[in-house]
Amino acid sequence: MPYVRTSVVAPYSAYLRVYEPLAAFPEPERSHWADYVRDVHTRRVWGSGTTAELTAEEQRVALEGILATPPEPAPPHESEDAFVAEIDGIPVVCPRQTRLRCWSALAEMRREFPPVVLDAFWPKVVLAQAEADHDRWRSRNPDVQPHIHSSTWHVPMRWFVLFSQEERVLVAPAGDGAGGPGELYYRTPMVQARRRVARALRVLRDTLEEGALITGLEQLGRWLEEFHPRAMVELDFGGLVRLIPSGDLVEERTAEHVAEGLTALAAGDGARASEAYRRITERWSAVRALEHAS
């Protein structure tokens, strides 16, 4: 899909993406993504959009579906687009999978909210059709996983376990900054991400009781295991950069604080672990509070 400039602001969401090498995809997907990568490089010569701009365009399309009559909770066809990056000069691809992600979001809503709440968002017949479409697709594709997870109004602490502070990249806004505050992301090889999850789980299981933190990290680890070992994992702050003052973006050190907390727990230093946790919660509670601001 050629890049189209949009005035829609990217949502206040962060994204955890997995980029896989072309060899990870079976045919005919592999050929499709190989052609797509070549096309992306061609379009970049003519000035295609940044990841933030492409995410905003994705949001625009989603809003069009919501406002349609009847509304479309998921696109009628799967996206043939992807985010593209490079590892040591080798292209890696993160399929957008917008249809699958919409289905997954609807399934999560059904788990979290009673039917009376869902009825306020979607007509019952629309939800029933989307669920049937998802079940039919899943029966044909039982092993396909979404390459992208998203989180609104905050970055889950477990996501930071995958990265070191040195892997953080802050991209200044282009030109005079009128297009937005820039981008902030972390990237790490899949092998390193899996190693960090395994280490964190060992520490947490040895020092804490079973709970949401351990369960969430276990689920994250199982998700990562579904992908090629030479993949790349990316944490993109997405639209959250618009909620964080520029000075705080420069000083954003959550990955470092998470690593400090785990090291302290492993050493039996509860006071230092509590201090690291306090820094994390203070930073992100201020951002999450904006969800309810008027």
Side-chain angles (χ1 to χ4, degrees):
M1 179 181 72
Y3 171 68
V4 179
R5 185 166 296 278
T6 173
S7 60
V8 175
V9 175
Y12 296 133
S13 299
Y15 303 91
L16 190 64
R17 303 187 182 101
V18 171
Y19 293 75
E20 294 192 280
L22 296 175
F25 299 95
E27 292 291 1
E29 287 181 79
R30 185 182 306 171
S31 295
H32 167 75
W33 293 128
D35 292 341
Y36 186 88
V37 167
R38 285 191 292 270
D39 185 47
V40 165
H41 284 299
T42 301
R43 285 189 280 117
R44 279 179 179 166
V45 173
W46 299 99
S48 65
T50 65
T51 297
E53 291 170 328
L54 293 171
T55 301
E57 174 65 13
E58 183 178 275
Q59 175 72 357
R60 182 191 65 79
V61 173
L63 288 174
E64 289 180 350
I66 293 173
L67 297 175
T69 304
E72 296 180 348
H77 305 287
E78 187 55 276
S79 170
E80 296 184 351
D81 301 317
F83 296 97
V84 178
E86 289 186 352
I87 301 178
D88 298 327
I90 304 299
V92 286
V93 173
C94 175
R96 294 202 193 181
Q97 298 170 299
T98 49
R99 194 184 196 201
L100 175 57
R101 289 160 55 205
C102 286
W103 281 333
S104 299
L106 285 173
E108 185 174 347
M109 287 184 67
R110 285 194 291 270
R111 290 191 295 268
E112 292 186 1
F113 299 104
V116 65
V117 175
L118 293 178
D119 290 347
F121 289 94
W122 309 100
K124 290 182 180 179
V125 64
V126 170
L127 283 178
Q129 183 61 56
E131 184 173 9
D133 291 343
H134 187 194
D135 290 343
R136 189 161 46 250
W137 180 90
R138 178 58 69 189
S139 68
R140 297 194 301 267
N141 304 275
D143 300 323
V144 176
Q145 295 292 324
H147 284 67
I148 305 173
H149 284 178
S150 61
S151 174
T152 56
W153 298 101
H154 77 297
V155 179
M157 185 165 59
R158 62 184 176 275
W159 289 7
F160 286 104
V161 169
L162 309 182
F163 307 93
S164 72
Q165 191 63 39
E166 292 70 26
E167 291 165 340
R168 169 186 175 278
V169 176
L170 179 61
V171 181
D176 59 3
E183 300 177 61
L184 193 157
Y185 61 86
Y186 293 76
R187 286 177 175 173
T188 197
M190 176 62 77
V191 172
Q192 190 66 271
R194 290 175 178 170
R195 184 179 298 123
R196 289 167 178 155
V197 168
R199 174 183 177 273
L201 282 173
R202 285 196 300 270
V203 172
L204 294 177
R205 288 167 178 159
D206 288 344
T207 56
L208 301 178
E209 295 182 357
E210 288 289 332
L213 183 58
I214 293 177
T215 300
L217 196 56
E218 288 173 338
Q219 293 173 344
L220 180 60
R222 285 194 292 270
W223 178 63
L224 294 178
E225 290 293 337
E226 297 294 328
F227 299 103
H228 196 280
R230 294 182 65 84
M232 178 184 75
V233 187
E234 175 187 77
L235 166 54
D236 178 7
F237 272 46
L240 294 186
V241 295
R242 297 178 179 274
L243 302 178
I244 304 173
S246 58
D248 290 347
L249 282 176
V250 173
E251 297 299 325
E252 206 293 313
R253 310 194 69 79
T254 307
E256 180 179 294
H257 298 326
V258 169
E260 287 177 355
L262 289 169
T263 299
L265 282 175
D269 190 341
R272 190 156 64 96
S274 296
E275 175 60 19
Y277 182 73
R278 181 191 64 79
R279 292 176 182 175
I280 296 167
T281 54
E282 281 186 355
R283 164 59 57 85
W284 289 102
S285 62
V287 175
R288 297 198 72 170
L290 296 174
E291 179 179 4
H292 306 289
S294 59

